[in-house]
Amino acid sequence: MSVDIAFVGDTLLQLLRALPTTLLLFAASVAIGTLLALLLVWMRVCEVAVLRHLARSYIFLFRGSPLLIQMFLLYYGLSQFPEVRQSPFWPVLRDPLSCAVIALALCTAGYMAEIFRGGLLAVPPQQIEAARAAGMSGGLLARRIIIPIALRSCLPAYSTEIILMMKATSLASLVTVYEVSGVAQRIIAETYRTLEVFLCAALIYLVLNFLIVRTLAWVEQRLSPRQPVTASPTTKKYALSVRRG
Amino acid sequence: MTTDPVLQVKHIRKSFGNLEVLKGISLDAHEGDVVSILGASGSGKSTFLRCINLLEVPDAGEIHVAGEQVAFKRGRHQLMVPANRRQVDRMRPELGMVFQSFGLWSHMTVLQNVIEGPVHVQKRPRAECIDEAEALLEKVGMADKRDHYPAFLSGGQQQRVAIARTLAMRPRVILFDEPTSALDPELVGEVLKVMRSLAEEGRTMLVVTHEMGFARNVSNRVVFMNQGLIEAQGTPQEMFNEQHCERFSRFILSHA
Amino acid sequence: MIDLIGFGAKGWGSVLLMAALMTVLVTLAALLVGAVLGALVAAAKLHPSGLLRALGDGYTTVFRGIPELLVIYLFFYGGSALVSSVGGLFGAEGFISMPAFLVGALAVGVVSGAYQAEVYRGAFQAVSRSELEAAKAIGMPLMLRFRRIVAPQILRFALPGIGGVWQITLKDSALISVTGLVELMRASRVAAASTGQFVLFFMTGCALYLVLTGISNLVFSRAELRVGRTFRRS
């Protein structure tokens, strides 16, 4: 079995042409999903019982059912109603790409909300208490202490979710969006050169994943406490302060 | 010359569910007092301290800080809550607290920990806070670790930073909740040394502790709590040497 | 409209329930495939040999990093081509497709295996060294040690992880619908398309999935409690 370089090259080109679509699906859904998740987790921990239960139900719904059925429900289901078809949102909702983005965002928001909540729960209570004892409360306490610590705690789980989102973009091909997996399937169905096309598509996704993992690892590294590189010089600055203090 | 007490606590009662932990405690502290609070586990000493800076809210009683009374009201589920959030936030820095578990903020360096309160709560100018912080770190012997993160410090080092952090808020009274109980024995000394120097400076301190040496040699008043009440109090001379209270004498023997 | 999801003449109720059963069956099959593969890959990743570890790492990196849909296409189109050429050797003519159930179970199984490998690896590393050494010290042979000491502990530590993998695999099974297998996703879609009632059937399908994940949650929670009952810490 000889490797057909020309075919592989041509396939790669076709797949790469679909790459911007995949990236758009990914970036848009992650961004919108994260914002929605922040709202959800705020609802989840707030004092109003109704909001708490709403958030819990949302999270249960979107984490307990497959993304595919959610996407079909949105894409096919909405077109069922004349009210929707005549609304000003219809051009957006009719477009498979935006439909896919919305479905992806709604789904990931459920998972991310739980991740953020895990981060909040992981904040050591002793540090919160020390902040209260220093006179912090409300927004100041959240902004300076709780959120920074929660963020650092949940970064690994958030990174995992982001990578899952990259894979989830492939489902958009099942609602007629021509992203990488969709194009791959089309080429396979036409040429039956399954293995070569699979390897090309797999390669693209693996490279994307590698880039994402590296970026997130860098962010995690920047945010985590490290030993200082150089020893701080104890010079006359301290002597002066002692005199003044 | 009698001056008004800087801290006055009257008839504090506190229950957790059906368990009454504080059964009516009253205490006064004047400026310069170093009060050691001793007692067995479960006697309510930590709860009492936490009531003073309102980390727990007493079910009954009065708290006066520098002449100002803390206002309470009945809130949800018939529990007492502070009536004025702002008053609480303003008063807490006056009552600096040093915790058993240090509570240093893990995402900030030592220096950032110390200036956080002064800059963001008391809204003092940053440069002034940094200068003062560096002086305080020098005083507790942690000046060279200013850019380190708490995770890389020993327990004794973290506690000394926590003390500097509390001092940076310029408190009238410093509350110590078993500051050395979580430390390895060889690290206890360095923290006690710092506390001793604070006492010698004339700071007003309330210390819940098991360290008999500190209670005996550094404090000017010893309070013995038992089952939610103050069983005995007096000078160290009265409590340790003259042994007015039998139960306290037995307590000292079992904790020596 | 309710009679559409009922069990009457027009009702799709029985179809949906049968399809839900198919979902559970194919998920079980995939999980078993994944268990075998996962155990092998975990063993490879723990092996002293650098080559085996690299192969194991490669497996988990690839199959956790690429979309499940691609793997399904690989087995669906590729598997059918394989079966057809094998069939050709025996004189059969034309295109023979691989059974959809097999495609689904294998594809989702291979992906599930990558996640299960990580669970087993972590569980193995969590087994208490001192308990193992105590067993060695009293002269227990290797197989007996594995059976009596290591395996039960791996089970205890792996159970939460496997519960998570089951939930993921259950939801991934919806992708198998592209092969034509009549599991819950496909059944919902067919019913919706043929009646035009998209919202009704997709929501019903959704609800059935929620029932499945809910029951799975309960089952795994009970199992974790039972298995962990002799251990003090969580």
Side-chain angles (χ1 to χ4, degrees):
Chain A
M1 189 175 72
S2 59
V3 176
D4 189 343
I5 302 285
F7 176 73
V8 168
D10 182 56
T11 303
L12 264 176
L13 229 65
Q14 287 192 57
L15 292 176
L16 285 173
R17 258 188 241 124
L19 187 58
T21 312
T22 291
L23 290 175
L24 177 62
L25 283 165
F26 172 69
S29 55
V30 166
I32 299 175
T34 304
L35 289 172
L36 188 54
L38 289 171
L39 174 66
L40 273 171
V41 78
W42 175 81
M43 282 169 68
R44 184 83 177 73
V45 299
C46 89
E47 274 148 21
V48 184
V50 168
L51 290 177
R52 265 207 320 270
H53 290 310
L54 265 171
R56 275 183 78 171
S57 312
Y58 180 104
I59 293 171
F60 173 67
L61 177 68
F62 281 93
R63 280 181 12 131
S65 52
L67 171 58
L68 190 58
I69 206 167
Q70 295 163 17
M71 209 179 265
F72 280 173
L73 181 56
L74 199 69
Y75 184 65
Y76 293 109
L78 283 182
S79 64
Q80 203 185 318
F81 298 107
E83 297 85 3
V84 176
R85 285 202 296 273
Q86 275 142 31
S87 81
F89 297 113
W90 184 234
V92 170
L93 294 173
R94 199 180 66 180
D95 176 34
L97 183 69
S98 32
C99 227
V101 167
I102 295 173
L104 286 166
L106 289 175
C107 187
T108 193
Y111 289 92
M112 285 184 181
E114 274 306 282
I115 292 172
F116 292 155
R117 182 170 157 261
L120 281 176
L121 290 174
V123 179
Q126 303 93 328
Q127 295 184 33
I128 300 182
E129 212 168 51
R132 287 221 149 91
M136 287 195 210
S137 66
L140 184 64
L141 179 63
R143 200 168 38 92
R144 295 292 302 171
I145 307 294
I146 298 181
I147 292 178
I149 298 180
L151 226 72
R152 283 161 175 79
S153 284
C154 70
L155 209 50
Y158 184 76
S159 311
T160 309
E161 178 60 25
I162 296 225
I163 292 170
L164 288 175
M165 280 307 287
M166 173 51 81
K167 297 200 297 174
T169 58
S170 62
L171 264 66
S173 63
L174 299 177
V175 290
T176 76
V177 175
Y178 273 98
E179 46 74 61
V180 173
S181 298
V183 172
Q185 190 265 342
R186 188 174 51 84
I187 302 177
I188 294 178
E190 285 170 6
T191 68
Y192 275 92
R193 312 276 282 264
T194 313
L195 194 59
E196 286 122 313
V197 179
F198 170 80
L199 288 174
C200 290
L203 181 67
I204 293 179
Y205 280 104
L206 287 174
V207 168
L208 284 172
N209 259 333
F210 178 77
L211 291 171
I212 295 175
V213 167
R214 276 265 138 263
T215 311
L216 291 168
W218 176 81
V219 171
E220 206 169 326
Q221 222 246 349
R222 288 303 320 268
L223 286 180
S224 63
R226 292 153 291 167
Q227 292 272 28
V229 176
T230 54
S232 323
T234 45
T235 58
K236 59 180 177 172
K237 188 167 196 238
Y238 295 111
L240 283 174
S241 315
V242 167
R243 213 175 58 216
R244 238 182 304 159
Chain B
M1 178 183 76
T2 47
T3 46
D4 285 330
V6 72
L7 177 68
Q8 253 186 319
V9 172
K10 294 184 186 164
H11 308 303
I12 296 286
R13 302 188 95 91
K14 175 75 186 168
S15 299
F16 290 108
N18 288 330
L19 183 65
E20 193 175 16
V21 177
L22 298 176
K23 298 177 182 161
I25 306 244
S26 302
L27 189 72
D28 284 354
H30 290 79
E31 199 142 340
D33 276 352
V34 178
V35 183
S36 289
I37 303 176
L38 303 170
S41 312
S43 54
K45 10 184 243 301
S46 273
T47 310
F48 172 57
L49 212 69
R50 290 162 63 85
C51 279
I52 296 178
N53 75 343
L54 295 173
L55 287 174
E56 308 283 354
V57 182
D59 298 329
E62 290 173 21
I63 301 175
H64 301 255
V65 179
E68 188 182 344
Q69 181 171 6
V70 180
F72 298 113
K73 65 176 185 200
R74 222 161 255 297
R76 257 192 299 176
H77 312 303
Q78 293 302 302
L79 289 173
M80 294 299 275
V81 294
N84 188 344
R85 186 95 247 156
R86 283 218 158 70
Q87 185 190 45
V88 173
D89 287 347
R90 194 171 26 87
M91 277 183 158
R92 275 191 175 142
E94 304 264 299
L95 303 160
M97 189 159 207
V98 176
F99 296 88
Q100 182 177 354
S101 53
F102 337 127
L104 292 180
W105 300 308
S106 50
H107 59 301
M108 299 183 189
T109 62
V110 159
L111 185 66
Q112 287 167 343
N113 259 276
V114 177
I115 65 173
E116 178 72 12
V119 169
H120 287 93
V121 178
Q122 295 177 325
K123 313 246 193 273
R124 283 157 37 198
R126 197 185 169 86
E128 172 195 317
C129 298
I130 293 181
D131 284 342
E132 197 168 316
E134 287 174 353
L136 288 169
L137 286 172
E138 179 86 22
K139 174 193 254 167
V140 301
M142 292 296 293
D144 56 338
K145 303 273 192 226
R146 61 199 284 267
D147 293 322
H148 282 62
Y149 285 92
F152 296 100
L153 302 175
S154 76
Q157 291 172 322
Q158 288 188 52
Q159 192 62 296
R160 285 186 279 148
V161 172
I163 294 177
R165 179 176 67 171
T166 307
L167 291 172
M169 302 287 279
R170 299 180 181 162
R172 305 277 307 246
V173 180
I174 313 177
L175 307 169
F176 290 84
D177 189 359
E178 300 204 36
T180 56
S181 296
L183 297 176
D184 291 335
E186 61 263 22
L187 300 172
V188 167
E190 62 194 57
V191 174
L192 288 180
K193 194 167 131 208
V194 170
M195 289 167 66
R196 189 187 190 118
S197 71
L198 291 176
E200 282 164 7
E201 271 174 27
R203 299 255 183 194
T204 316
M205 297 160 62
L206 256 67
V207 183
V208 169
T209 185
H210 290 294
E211 294 289 327
M212 296 295 165
F214 183 87
R216 198 176 195 138
N217 301 322
V218 184
S219 46
N220 69 342
R221 188 147 38 112
V222 174
V223 169
F224 176 56
M225 277 183 68
N226 187 31
Q227 299 198 348
L229 288 168
I230 294 183
E231 182 120 340
Q233 60 176 306
T235 65
Q237 164 77 359
E238 287 164 7
M239 296 289 282
F240 283 95
N241 297 345
E242 289 161 28
Q243 310 214 344
H244 294 306
C245 174
E246 195 202 315
R247 197 172 284 154
F248 182 61
S249 309
R250 265 188 279 131
F251 174 78
I252 307 171
L253 285 173
S254 60
H255 282 76
Chain C
M1 199 169 69
I2 290 299
D3 51 306
L4 278 176
I5 56 172
F7 295 91
K10 274 198 304 172
W12 290 83
S14 49
V15 174
L16 289 176
L17 283 179
M18 291 299 291
L21 181 63
M22 178 60 87
T23 289
V24 174
L25 287 174
V26 78
T27 306
L28 256 168
L31 205 72
L32 285 170
V33 169
V36 170
L37 287 170
L40 286 171
V41 172
K45 288 178 91 149
L46 292 163
H47 203 271
S49 151
L51 176 66
L52 279 177
R53 277 207 310 276
L55 285 173
D57 282 337
Y59 182 98
T60 48
T61 307
V62 167
F63 288 107
R64 288 191 310 171
I66 63 178
E68 297 82 356
L69 206 53
L70 275 184
V71 182
I72 291 179
Y73 291 149
L74 177 71
F75 278 89
F76 182 60
Y77 293 103
S80 303
L82 199 65
V83 168
S84 299
S85 51
V86 167
L89 287 176
F90 290 97
E93 284 187 5
F95 179 76
I96 311 172
S97 67
M98 205 157 104
F101 186 91
L102 197 57
V103 169
L106 283 176
V108 177
V110 163
V111 171
S112 160
Y115 288 102
Q116 291 193 53
E118 284 306 299
V119 173
Y120 296 141
R121 188 172 71 100
F124 180 81
Q125 289 173 327
V127 172
S128 159
R129 289 270 153 265
S130 55
E131 290 184 34
L132 206 58
E133 278 167 357
K136 276 188 201 165
I138 63 168
M140 249 201 218
L142 179 69
M143 274 329 284
L144 195 65
R145 282 206 306 272
F146 186 79
R147 198 161 57 82
R148 299 285 300 165
I149 310 290
V150 179
Q153 290 221 5
I154 291 186
L155 175 70
R156 182 209 154 204
F157 289 120
L159 202 51
I162 296 301
V165 174
W166 166 268
Q167 299 280 23
I168 293 174
T169 312
L170 192 60
K171 286 177 277 183
D172 280 351
S173 72
L175 296 174
I176 303 179
S177 60
V178 305
T179 65
L181 180 69
V182 184
E183 41 68 64
L184 188 50
M185 178 74 243
R186 180 142 205 96
S188 306
R189 191 174 185 184
V190 166
S194 91
T195 61
Q197 296 291 331
F198 292 98
V199 173
L200 176 67
F201 282 105
F202 284 136
M203 289 201 78
T204 309
C206 218
L208 283 170
Y209 272 112
L210 287 173
V211 168
L212 288 175
T213 51
I215 295 178
S216 310
N217 248 337
L218 279 168
V219 169
F220 273 98
S221 299
R222 297 277 306 276
E224 279 171 46
L225 277 172
R226 274 205 70 202
V227 165
R229 108 204 102 127
T230 62
F231 300 96
R232 198 166 35 98
R233 274 182 316 136
S234 139

